[in-house]
Amino acid sequence: MKRAVLLLALLVSSTASAADLVVDVTNVRSSRGHVRLSVCDEAHFGGEGCAYDGVADAREGVTRVIVHGVPAGRWAVQAFHDENDNEAFDQNFLGLPQEGFGFSNNPPLRGKPHYADSAIDVREPTTEISLRLRNSIFD
């Protein structure tokens, strides 16, 4: 019996800690499509290949997206409003966004955002943040 209790204690203590990251995305301009977001480490922030993703039906105003199982630590969030549901962040021929976009901590934009300006600390069991979508680069 003692051996089983010890084994169970070892298994529980060796599991990786993880949190639910709750993101309230504000300034969503319509209820069309979905709000998609990625939780990224520094190497992937501002691009593709982020470790964790979340999606929710868009709701005009505020859309809540929950990402389960994010390990505690330092992460940055990037989000966009996929109004046409093509699962891609649409840009025009000049590379300007055609859909709402945003980043954790709502950093000022002078080109691509910096990880240091958007990084947040995710802690167990739940971390809640808010980020504001920009519906143009001038927003």
Side-chain angles (χ1 to χ4, degrees):
M1 180 67 168
K2 287 182 183 180
R3 185 181 253 173
V5 171
L6 179 61
L7 181 59
L8 181 59
L10 287 173
L11 287 174
V12 170
S13 68
S14 68
T15 59
S17 57
D20 286 340
L21 177 59
V22 179
V23 182
D24 286 330
V25 180
T26 66
N27 202 34
V28 178
R29 68 179 161 198
S30 76
S31 294
R32 290 189 311 264
H34 290 84
V35 172
R36 301 181 187 281
L37 61 81
S38 297
V39 182
C40 313
D41 60 16
E42 188 169 7
H44 294 94
F45 182 67
E48 296 181 10
C50 296
Y52 301 93
D53 296 303
V55 63
D57 292 341
R59 292 178 181 237
E60 186 174 349
V62 178
T63 300
R64 178 167 275 195
V65 182
I66 302 173
V67 183
H68 301 285
V70 178
R74 197 109 171 112
W75 298 93
V77 179
Q78 55 193 31
F80 74 99
H81 181 187
D82 187 9
E83 289 184 90
N84 61 4
D85 259 345
N86 67 349
E87 298 184 12
F89 178 55
D90 296 329
Q91 300 172 18
N92 68 15
F93 69 97
L94 296 173
L96 299 175
Q98 293 185 302
E99 297 178 306
F101 65 97
F103 306 94
S104 46
N105 296 332
N106 303 307
L109 295 183
R110 295 174 241 50
K112 285 191 170 190
H114 297 282
Y115 177 82
D117 294 334
S118 296
I120 60 167
D121 290 316
V122 174
R123 294 188 170 96
E124 293 182 327
T126 303
T127 298
E128 294 187 30
I129 67 166
S130 175
L131 70 78
R132 183 179 185 277
L133 291 184
R134 299 165 188 263
N135 291 303
S136 82
I137 60 169
F138 305 107
D139 193 2

